Amino acid sequence: MRPLNRAPRLVSEDHIERWHLCQMEILDCKKVPWPKPLITKVHKVDNCGWPKQEAAYECKINLMTGKTHQIRAQLAAIGAPIVGDSAYMTGVIAAMANPSINPYGRASLNYNNEEEKAAAVEAWVACHGKEPKSVIGLQASEISWDYEGEHHYYKAGVPWWRQDAVESDLV
């Protein structure tokens, strides 16, 4: 992942000197219904014009490295952005329409020089949105670590996209 400290973070499948190594493993992935309209309204979820709103995927991920935006950037890079993530979802939509637009993607173009590539990177970044102003479909379901000989473990509650909403939630 490019070490520039601003979103969107760019990722590459190829090793690039001085970029951060980002590794995660997807332990489980299941198809779930797209969040109901009332739920997305209650939580002010931005669908960013995502064309496929029938289903989403809920994945259990083990982070092997922990870089800021790692999960968001890596999932977007494979065409599976997080629901409501306006910083990355719009870039995925742009890449669906024009696969060669991502200068580090599988269908990237060959550039004649570094200036051309830098211009392509700036164009790619411009395809992305701003940081979300509401919730996104990302939640740590559980976290554990060992510290000073003690094991610590925390488990989260039900994520927003699986909660039931009622009209009174809108008031």
Side-chain angles (χ1 to χ4, degrees), residues 78-123:
I78 62 170
I82 294 171
V83 171
D85 193 354
S86 57
Y88 291 91
M89 192 177 270
T90 54
V92 174
I93 293 169
M96 287 167 37
N98 180 4
S100 66
I101 196 167
N102 181 346
Y104 296 102
R106 289 185 179 149
S108 65
L109 303 173
N110 290 320
Y111 302 99
N112 294 321
N113 54 51
E114 287 303 311
E115 291 79 27
E116 275 187 16
K117 184 138 189 175
V121 167
E122 289 310 311

Side-chain angles (χ1 to χ4, degrees), residues 22-42:
C22 292
Q23 295 177 313
M24 67 180 182
E25 57 184 340
I26 297 176
L27 304 173
D28 185 37
C29 195
K30 61 184 175 187
K31 192 173 188 175
V32 296
W34 189 267
K36 296 176 185 169
L38 188 56
I39 294 288
T40 59
K41 189 172 183 178
V42 165

Side-chain angles (χ1 to χ4, degrees), residues 29 32-33 45 47 53 56 110 160:
C29 195
V32 296
V45 178
N47 70 27
Q53 295 182 21
N110 290 320
W160 64 264

Side-chain angles (χ1 to χ4, degrees), residues 12-30:
S12 173
E13 291 181 8
D14 300 322
H15 176 287
I16 299 176
E17 194 171 324
R18 295 189 306 263
W19 279 35
H20 298 299
L21 174 66
C22 292
Q23 295 177 313
M24 67 180 182
E25 57 184 340
I26 297 176
L27 304 173
D28 185 37
C29 195
K30 61 184 175 187

